[in-house]
């Protein structure tokens, strides 16, 4: 159950990521449970759990994390109200992201999942594209919730915490990390 009280506005030290961060993960975008967009109004791009094996991070604690996401290829179509892309080129585009690794206790999942909310509004899905993740910090452990509304409220707070955390210079500079735009089959920076 989520503790009561106000939450911190930022996560992680102001000086930049502290060990074990940054953590690099990646994988193709796959279909998830379909709840992010449909039930919560917060779409997610899921990657296979095996994505945690990239760099040997299968032991990451369940919870909510923040960082940058590199999406392979030209940017998918955006909705008119979408925030603009941040960094990118013909190889891909970099966006801020908040992600959940865990069991989603509210939904009583029986399998652990990796669900990434890219902080940008897309007009279409992009299944099959590769997603590189650069995790810079931990926001909170995963909780069970008394209602769907309280879950949505906490996710919205996670998004705000991510936005404010990544705006700090020691975190913003990581969006230029070249690994975000190196995808399978394109092993070097062009």
């Amino acid at each position: 159950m989520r503790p009561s009280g106000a939450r911190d506005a930022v996560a992680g030290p102001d000086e930049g990521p502290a060990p074990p961060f940054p953590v690099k993960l990646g994988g193709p975008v796959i279909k998830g449970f379909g709840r992010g967009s449909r039930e919560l109004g917060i779409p997610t791009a899921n990657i296979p759990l095996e994505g945690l094996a990239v760099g040997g991070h299968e032991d990451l604690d369940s919870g909510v994390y923040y960082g940058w996401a590199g999406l392979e290829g030209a940017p998918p179509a955006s909705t008119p109200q979408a925030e603009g892309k941040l960094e990118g080129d013909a190889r891909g585009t970099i966006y801020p992201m908040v992600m959940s690794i865990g069991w989603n206790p509210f939904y009583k999942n029986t399998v652990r999942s990796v669900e990434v909310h890219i902080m940008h509004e897309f007009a279409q899905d992009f299944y099959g594209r590769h997603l590189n993740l650069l995790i810079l910090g931990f926001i909170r452990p995963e909780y069970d919730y008394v209602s769907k509304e309280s879950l949505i409220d906490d996710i919205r707070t996670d998004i705000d915490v991510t936005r404010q955390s990544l705006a700090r210079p020691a975190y913003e500079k990581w969006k230029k990390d070249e690994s975000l735009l190196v995808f399978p089959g394109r092993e070097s920076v062009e």
Side-chain angles (χ1 to χ4, degrees):
M1 198 60 70
R2 181 192 182 283
S4 61
R7 294 191 36 203
D8 291 335
V10 296
D14 286 339
E15 301 77 36
F21 305 106
V23 171
K24 296 177 182 181
L25 305 177
V29 176
I30 60 171
K31 283 196 178 280
F33 298 105
R35 298 184 290 235
S37 293
R38 186 181 68 242
E39 288 185 34
L40 304 176
I42 304 167
T44 59
N46 295 15
I47 64 170
L49 190 57
E50 296 80 37
L52 290 175
V54 176
H57 299 291
E58 302 91 342
D59 61 345
L60 275 178
D61 290 336
S62 292
V64 178
Y65 296 84
Y66 67 95
W68 299 104
L71 180 61
E72 179 181 30
S78 299
T79 60
Q81 67 272 26
E83 294 177 33
K85 68 180 183 176
L86 295 177
E87 302 285 331
D89 56 31
R91 294 169 293 162
T93 308
I94 299 171
Y95 301 96
M97 66 85 184
V98 60
M99 66 183 288
S100 168
I101 299 173
W103 302 93
N104 300 317
F106 179 75
Y107 287 105
K108 313 290 187 258
N109 287 1
T110 58
V111 295
R112 199 168 184 226
S113 63
V114 178
E115 300 178 62
V116 181
H117 173 67
I118 297 174
M119 294 165 54
H120 181 84
E121 289 188 45
F122 298 100
Q124 63 191 43
D125 293 328
F126 42 88
Y127 295 117
R129 290 199 189 181
H130 196 87
L131 190 61
N132 289 330
L133 305 174
L134 186 60
I135 303 172
L136 299 179
F138 182 78
I139 296 176
R140 63 173 176 86
E142 67 178 347
Y143 301 121
D144 198 352
Y145 292 88
V146 296
S147 69
K148 182 169 54 172
E149 292 72 25
S150 62
L151 170 61
I152 292 169
D153 286 346
D154 241 12
I155 294 171
R156 296 236 178 265
T157 300
D158 296 334
I159 291 168
D160 290 340
V161 168
T162 294
R163 188 173 285 111
Q164 293 176 70
S165 297
L166 291 176
R168 297 174 294 174
Y171 292 85
E172 186 174 4
K173 72 179 186 179
W174 284 94
K175 73 181 173 188
K176 297 185 184 303
D177 188 284
E178 290 186 354
S179 69
L180 287 166
L181 294 176
V182 176
F183 301 100
R186 301 175 130 176
E187 301 307 323
S188 64
V189 176
E190 297 167 356

